[in-house]
Amino acid sequence: MRLLFGKIIACAALFACLPFGGRAQSLDQAKKLYNEGAYGEARPAFEKLVRQSPSNPSYNQWYGVCCFETGDFALAEKHLLIANGRDIAESYRYLANIYTASYRFAEAVGMWEGYIAHLTKKKENTDTYEAQLAYVEKLLRMKEKMEDVQVIDSIVVPVDRLLSAYFLSRDCGTLLSGSDFFGSTDSQTTVYVNPKGDQAYYGRLDENGRYALYTQSRLMDTWTDESPVFASDTSDNNYPFVRGDGVTLYFASKGNGSIGGYDLFVTRYKNNTFLAPEQMGMPFNSTANDYLMVVDETKETGWFVSDRNQPEGKVCIYLFIPDESRRRIAVSDDDLQLCRRAMLASIKETWQPGLDYSELIDRARTDEMALAIPQRPQDFVFVVNDQTTFYTWADFKSAEAENAYRKAESMRRQIESTEQKLNELRDKYTAGNDAERSQLKPSILKSEEELATLHAQINGWIKKARNTENKH
């Protein structure tokens, strides 16, 4: 559920600086602009009226709403509280949104209750606001059960490069983009492949435009036996990751009681099925999108993504220390500090006094896959079976298998050359006129046919090399 406060008008500062004049010359004109939703233009007039009559509840109400709608929540709260002291109904609704945005959920609950009481007196429908009240009450319960997690680093990246900050250890498995794994343009999902490389989990769009979680097994070079993770769940579920125990699954969902966009959930595989998902608490989840939870036991760190407090197209990737006990923060009188911890207003506020996290951060940033390459001579990577991988020609025991794989490698180079040529032709086709496109079309079709043939042949030679070496 997205709240009204989630979209702050970017030009609030400009509106706030407009001089009193222009269209808003009188109270009536200011109220007309207000009722039309032109809050930025109405704001200077109400500001002047508030200066003239600081205790006038109506002036403070109108000015407070203008401040809210132009993104100045602190000033809005100050003036709306004056209106609220005189029991102006709309002040309850706006204050409820301000308190929710700042994670002051207990105060938000009181404001929604006050607003619902006003509507009930007037015999107006309260269903929408009852739902808002229930939502904030849920946020309050989650905040009261907040985990005492240490978030030790963060980095902001473009959303299409979110995997660039995930450096998993070898025994943790692999994360791939949906486009890389499926060879498609779907960049809105990630694929987790287990360390053995024979099991994959991913989100895939269904016929209703929602993502559903699936798993597949790899048999030789073929991914097969696709099956849903949650057969009866119609929620939008995506971004899976399986921990090293092979049974603990993290994923993100827009259903299952999500408090805002994607929320993080965890489930476990037991008796040939996954148990009912458990929603993770704050600060992992927020009123924004939170997803792609990964825990690397070897590095003793974990990551998750959030677009809270980020501009369009950007996400923040948080690095944290997993705590199996999921210790909660003790509720204290300092509710402001609790709010800041829930919001992750500052990751330094989650650190333990005197601890140095630099070694953990360096370890988390180390790409072990890249470091592993120079450790031994490597001409290629050829998976012979679950226990054996060849990296050099000297690894082959069968001359026939080696010859078959040499043919496959030769075709791989042909494929790369043909793909490069095809991409160049397609670029020219896109930029060309009708005559040029007509001339290029036969060459593009020919290259596509060559690629299809090469792919079919290379798979045959790889299969022959693997079968021959295994028999040997």
Side-chain angles (χ1 to χ4, degrees), residues 180-194:
D180 287 341
F181 185 82
F182 295 109
S184 67
T185 58
D186 187 358
S187 60
Q188 302 302 312
T189 186
T190 54
V191 180
Y192 168 74
V193 181
N194 69 351

Side-chain angles (χ1 to χ4, degrees), residues 147 179 347 400 442 449:
E147 295 184 36
S179 55
I347 64 172
E400 183 183 357
E449 291 173 359

Side-chain angles (χ1 to χ4, degrees), residues 38-324:
Y39 300 106
E41 294 179 67
R43 178 173 170 172
F46 289 125
E47 181 180 10
K48 183 177 181 180
L49 290 168
V50 165
R51 285 201 303 267
Q52 294 172 348
S53 303
S55 59
N56 185 294
S58 297
Y59 294 167
N60 278 279
Q61 166 67 19
W62 291 324
Y63 182 51
V65 171
C66 288
C67 292
F68 175 91
E69 296 290 352
T70 52
D72 192 342
F73 285 9
L75 196 57
E77 180 185 358
K78 173 184 175 181
H79 293 278
L80 287 168
L81 281 172
I82 295 174
N84 190 257
R86 298 293 292 273
D87 205 29
I88 294 181
E90 284 301 296
S91 67
Y92 287 91
R93 180 165 67 92
Y94 278 95
L95 284 168
N97 281 322
I98 290 172
Y99 294 147
T100 305
S102 55
Y103 280 50
R104 294 152 64 185
F105 303 129
E107 293 171 84
V109 166
M111 289 299 162
W112 280 125
E113 289 174 341
Y115 188 60
I116 290 168
H118 269 276
L119 296 180
T120 302
K121 287 180 182 178
K122 294 189 290 185
K123 297 184 179 180
E124 294 184 13
N125 188 290
T126 62
D127 291 349
T128 298
Y129 306 107
E130 294 280 1
Q132 287 278 19
L133 173 60
Y135 170 68
V136 176
E137 287 175 335
K138 179 175 183 178
L139 293 177
L140 177 60
R141 290 192 296 272
M142 288 185 70
K143 176 183 166 185
E144 290 173 344
K145 298 176 182 178
M146 183 169 48
E147 295 184 36
D148 189 11
V149 60
Q150 298 170 68
V151 181
I152 60 176
D153 197 17
S154 64
I155 181 174
V156 176
V157 300
V159 67
D160 58 358
R161 295 190 61 246
L162 63 89
L163 290 182
S164 64
Y166 286 74
F167 298 111
L168 277 64
S169 57
R170 279 185 171 274
D171 55 1
C172 200
T174 307
L175 281 175
L176 302 168
S177 68
S179 55
D180 287 341
F181 185 82
F182 295 109
S184 67
T185 58
D186 187 358
S187 60
Q188 302 302 312
T189 186
T190 54
V191 180
Y192 168 74
V193 181
N194 69 351
K196 291 177 64 177
D198 60 0
Q199 193 80 27
Y201 290 82
Y202 53 88
R204 180 166 60 75
L205 278 173
D206 62 18
E207 63 276 7
N208 299 313
R210 293 188 293 261
Y211 280 92
L213 290 184
Y214 290 89
T215 181
Q216 279 196 64
S217 300
R218 190 168 82 169
L219 189 62
M220 304 300 285
D221 284 332
T222 303
W223 287 101
T224 185
D225 297 332
E226 181 183 72
S227 61
V229 173
F230 305 114
S232 59
D233 190 347
T234 59
S235 304
D236 190 324
N237 300 323
N238 207 346
Y239 302 104
F241 174 79
V242 179
R243 288 190 65 162
D245 58 12
V247 298
T248 303
L249 169 67
Y250 295 107
F251 68 99
S253 177
K254 291 184 178 179
N256 297 293
S258 163
I259 61 171
Y262 277 121
D263 268 13
L264 288 162
F265 289 81
V266 62
T267 180
R268 287 168 181 80
Y269 193 74
K270 186 176 182 180
N271 298 329
N272 297 319
T273 188
F274 281 98
L275 303 177
E278 176 188 355
Q279 189 175 28
M280 301 193 69
M282 295 177 182
F284 296 115
N285 281 323
S286 69
T287 54
N289 288 294
D290 306 286
Y291 53 102
L292 199 54
M293 169 75 79
V294 170
V295 173
D296 190 327
E297 289 93 343
T298 301
K299 293 188 173 184
E300 300 178 301
T301 48
W303 299 263
F304 70 97
V305 178
S306 181
D307 61 11
R308 65 185 81 176
N309 306 317
Q310 299 303 318
E312 187 74 23
K314 299 280 189 178
V315 293
C316 185
I317 301 173
Y318 293 98
L319 180 69
F320 69 97
I321 300 176
D323 180 7
E324 301 304 323

